[in-house]
């Protein structure tokens, strides 16, 4: 029994804040008392007295230290059932602390790859087992997935699995199962790279985004080319497994002999596209060409109608407008060019100028510019500006530069860009910034 001749009031306190413990941990929780007339006792959340260690009582027990002023609650291999309000008592004095026991979610595999089949369903698992029950949210790329909104594409199960119904090519991508247990301050995630086996889908690249052709039996595209020039006709396809491409010249509405010359057909190693290189020596090269893309899931084809086009005029004015460390901005105009109609941007016109093409070669005073080693940029024309920015380029570097126009048929002749074409130096830009700051400070101090 802890007694004292001191005149101070008796005190009792648990030397631990309410906190969170994880299962299977071992913890020692101290209860300290002073000037007590009765021994310190620990009680479980159910009100049961905690005994000292014995042969039958080796997991949860009490140790007494320092002449009875400390009673230490020892818990080995903590269980979920150990959570609750634990009480330390001595006579009429008592103090209670809540201890939350949780099990952190531990996902056995963090990154997996899966493969589904077009028109079928697939189930992505997320083994989020823990206590308190975790909050689980599925994402595709950065977009949260909901199974509450139509169409009922997704089903999220009670086991946190994600079922995707009627797979198609658009379902391929990275899925992430994000798991949170707020009470435990715990977060973990699992990513699934999903591939979908599907037949080829031929598309046309428009800017940064692919444009899927309408779902019709015969897909066609108008292509314009310039006589005595070279025209690249690109056939692009989304497919898994990657497709095999085949080209045929068509005459009288039927396929002629296949085109297999490696100097005429160039196919990407990843199977994303195949390019037919037409060298239009005479008018017999105009006409129809079929591109077919085939894999184990099926086949799709498109017919390109190659017609005579008009070579665009080159720009008639271009000058360097401004430069920074990595970019150059040019003022470009072409008075004889036909530009897209802002009031009717959809109607195709093969003569309309679509873009400006720029080439840059570093200045070497000992040699003429080698344009075969140029840095190339192409920028789309805009309705309301003659200023076009290109880059990135090396800082503090002088360049030879030239520009041309592009329409649906091809390119104009190159014209040289006059004057000194040079990017700025990093140090110069920093110095100019400091000078502006200094001037601003001086101006403010005067007033």
């Amino acid at each position: 029994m802890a007694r004292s001749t001191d005149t101070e009031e008796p005190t009792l306190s648990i030397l631990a804040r309410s906190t969170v413990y994880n299962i299977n941990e071992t913890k020692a929780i101290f209860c300290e008392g002073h000037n007590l007339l009765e021994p310190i006792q620990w009680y479980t959340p159910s009100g049961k007295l905690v005994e000292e260690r014995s042969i039958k009582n080796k997991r949860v027990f009490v140790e007494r230290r320092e002449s009875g002023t400390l009673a230490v609650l020892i818990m080995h291999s903590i269980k979920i059932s150990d959570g609750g309000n634990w009480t330390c008592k001595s006579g009429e004095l008592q103090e209670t602390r809540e201890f939350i026991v949780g099990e952190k979610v531990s996902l056995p595999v963090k990154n997996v790859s899966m493969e589904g089949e077009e028109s079928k369903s697939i189930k992505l698992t997320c083994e989020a087992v823990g206590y308190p029950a975790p909050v689980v949210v599925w994402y595709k790329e950065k977009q949260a997935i909901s199974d509450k909104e139509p169409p009922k594409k997704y089903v999220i199960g009670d086991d946190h699995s994600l079922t995707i119904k009627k797979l198609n090519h658009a379902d391929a991508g990275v899925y992430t199962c994000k798991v949170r247990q707020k009470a435990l301050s715990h977060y973990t995630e699992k990513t699934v790279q999903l591939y979908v086996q599907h037949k080829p889908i031929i598309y046309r690249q428009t800017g940064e985004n692919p444009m899927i052709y309408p779902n019709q039996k015969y897909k066609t595209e108008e292509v314009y080319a310039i006589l005595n020039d070279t025209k690249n006709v690109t056939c692009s396809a989304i497919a898994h497994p990657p497709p095999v491409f085949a080209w045929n010249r068509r005459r009288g509405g039927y396929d002629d002999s296949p085109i297999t010359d490696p100097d005429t057909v160039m196919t990407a190693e990843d199977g994303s596209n195949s390019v037919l290189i037409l060298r239009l020596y005479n008018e017999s090269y105009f006409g129809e060409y079929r591109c077919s893309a085939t894999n184990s899931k099926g086949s799709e084809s498109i017919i390109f109608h190659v017609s005579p086009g008009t070579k665009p005029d080159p720009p008639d004015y271009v000058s360097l407008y401004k430069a920074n460390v990595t970019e150059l901005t040019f003022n470009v105009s072409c008075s004889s060019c036909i530009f897209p109609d802002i009031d009717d941007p959809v109607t195709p016109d093969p003569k309309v100028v679509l873009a400006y093409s720029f080439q840059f070669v570093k200045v070497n005073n000992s040699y003429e510019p080698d344009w075969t080693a140029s840095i190339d940029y192409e920028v789309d024309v805009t309705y309301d500006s003659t200023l076009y920015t290109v880059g990135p380029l090396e800082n503090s570097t002088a360049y030879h530069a030239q520009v041309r126009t592009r329409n649906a048929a091809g390119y104009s002749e190159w014209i040289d860009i006059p004057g000194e074409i040079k990017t700025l130096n990093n140090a110069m830009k920093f110095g100019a910034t400091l000078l502006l700051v200094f001037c601003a400070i001086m101006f403010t101090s005067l007033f």
Side-chain angles (χ1 to χ4, degrees):
M1 182 178 293
R3 296 181 181 274
S4 176
T5 58
D6 294 344
T7 59
E8 295 180 7
E9 291 289 327
T11 61
L12 184 73
S13 62
I14 296 174
L15 305 183
R17 295 177 297 174
S18 296
T19 188
V20 176
Y21 299 139
N22 297 312
I23 62 168
N24 299 321
E25 287 185 326
T26 295
K27 290 293 181 181
I29 304 159
F30 291 77
C31 183
E32 183 179 45
H34 296 282
N35 305 311
L36 301 175
L37 299 177
E38 298 185 36
I40 301 172
Q41 306 284 5
W42 275 99
Y43 292 86
T44 68
S46 63
K48 182 181 178 181
L49 176 67
V50 181
E51 303 287 349
E52 294 186 8
R53 183 170 183 171
S54 65
I55 293 176
K56 295 182 179 180
N57 188 37
K58 294 188 290 185
R59 193 181 73 83
V60 179
F61 55 87
V62 170
E63 289 183 352
R64 303 186 189 283
R65 303 178 185 175
E66 299 181 14
S67 301
T69 62
L70 278 178
V72 187
L73 175 66
I74 307 295
M75 291 193 290
H76 288 284
S77 301
I78 294 177
K79 301 178 180 180
I80 296 293
S81 58
D82 292 329
N85 293 318
W86 290 76
T87 302
C88 177
K89 285 185 179 182
S90 175
E92 297 297 320
L93 296 178
Q94 71 175 45
E95 189 163 330
T96 299
R97 289 286 186 274
E98 181 186 15
F99 300 116
I100 299 171
V101 179
E103 180 183 8
K104 291 182 178 179
V105 172
S106 179
L107 298 171
V109 181
K110 294 292 187 72
N111 299 284
V112 299
S113 295
M114 297 184 69
E115 193 164 276
E117 191 171 350
E118 188 175 29
S119 78
K120 295 185 178 181
S121 297
I122 193 168
K123 185 176 182 179
L124 314 185
T125 61
C126 183
E127 304 83 350
V129 178
Y131 181 86
V135 175
V136 178
V137 180
W138 277 97
Y139 288 79
K140 184 187 180 189
E141 313 304 340
K142 296 182 180 180
Q143 184 69 39
I145 292 173
S146 171
D147 62 352
K148 307 300 182 185
E149 301 174 1
K152 296 293 185 178
K153 179 75 175 176
Y154 304 106
V155 176
I156 298 175
D158 293 337
D159 59 353
H160 310 299
S161 62
L162 173 68
T163 299
I164 309 171
K165 299 189 293 184
K166 295 182 180 179
L167 287 171
N168 60 54
H169 74 281
D171 294 319
V174 177
Y175 292 80
T176 306
C177 160
K178 297 188 177 184
V179 183
R180 291 179 175 85
Q181 290 170 290
K182 187 176 180 180
L184 306 183
S185 300
H186 180 59
Y187 169 84
T188 187
E189 66 180 29
K190 172 184 178 179
T191 60
V192 181
Q193 174 68 63
L194 176 63
Y195 300 94
V196 178
Q197 292 185 9
H198 64 91
K199 73 175 186 178
I201 299 171
I202 292 178
Y203 70 93
R204 179 162 60 93
Q205 194 71 32
T206 56
E208 296 181 356
N209 301 312
M211 187 198 80
I212 305 297
Y213 288 94
N215 188 18
Q216 56 192 37
K217 185 176 181 179
Y218 298 104
K219 295 175 174 60
T220 62
E221 182 178 330
E222 296 297 327
V223 175
Y224 298 94
I226 301 169
L227 193 61
N228 297 318
D229 208 338
T230 298
K231 180 68 178 185
N232 291 345
V233 182
T234 302
C235 180
S236 301
I238 303 168
H240 183 73
V244 174
F245 289 92
W247 286 90
N248 287 84
R249 177 66 193 270
R250 287 175 58 82
R251 302 179 193 276
Y254 296 95
D255 287 350
D256 203 341
S257 56
I259 304 171
T260 58
D261 184 352
D263 291 333
T264 303
V265 176
M266 303 281 289
T267 300
E269 290 184 5
D270 62 0
S272 60
N273 65 76
S274 182
V275 179
L276 175 66
I277 304 171
L278 289 178
R279 299 170 178 86
L280 295 109
Y281 299 117
N282 54 58
E283 293 184 353
S284 67
Y285 287 88
F286 294 116
E288 294 184 348
Y289 297 83
R290 180 196 293 275
C291 170
S292 298
T294 305
N295 67 6
S296 59
K297 308 304 293 182
S299 180
E300 190 169 80
S301 64
I302 183 172
I303 297 173
F304 294 96
H305 298 276
V306 182
S307 304
T310 302
K311 190 170 189 173
D313 292 332
D316 47 27
Y317 175 81
V318 57
S319 64
L320 180 65
Y321 178 76
K322 67 176 180 180
N324 64 25
V325 176
T326 60
E327 294 180 328
L328 299 170
T329 299
F330 296 93
N331 189 358
V332 187
S333 66
C334 182
S335 59
S336 60
C337 292
I338 301 173
F339 292 101
D341 186 353
I342 191 171
D343 297 322
D344 186 17
V346 177
T347 303
D349 185 338
K351 295 181 181 179
V352 166
V353 170
L354 303 173
Y356 290 118
S357 177
F358 293 84
Q359 280 192 335
F360 300 92
V361 174
K362 292 181 185 179
V363 171
N364 184 333
N365 293 325
S366 301
Y367 300 96
E368 291 295 317
D370 178 11
W371 295 109
T372 61
S374 65
I375 304 169
D376 296 357
Y377 293 100
E378 193 164 286
V379 291
D380 294 339
V381 298
T382 56
Y383 297 120
D384 54 357
S385 178
T386 61
L387 299 180
Y388 297 89
T389 300
V390 292
L393 297 163
E394 293 184 26
N395 71 83
S396 189
T397 303
Y399 291 94
H400 297 288
Q402 57 184 13
V403 64
R404 61 182 177 176
T405 60
R406 176 179 68 80
N407 65 12
Y411 293 92
S412 72
E413 301 296 333
W414 290 103
I415 66 165
D416 292 332
I417 302 176
E420 185 182 56
I421 310 300
K422 187 176 182 180
T423 52
L424 297 184
N425 183 283
N426 265 319
M428 291 174 59
K429 183 178 180 181
F430 180 69
T433 302
L434 287 179
L435 180 61
L436 288 172
V437 172
F438 175 76
C439 292
I441 294 172
M442 293 298 295
F443 179 80
T444 302
S445 63
L446 292 175
F447 296 92

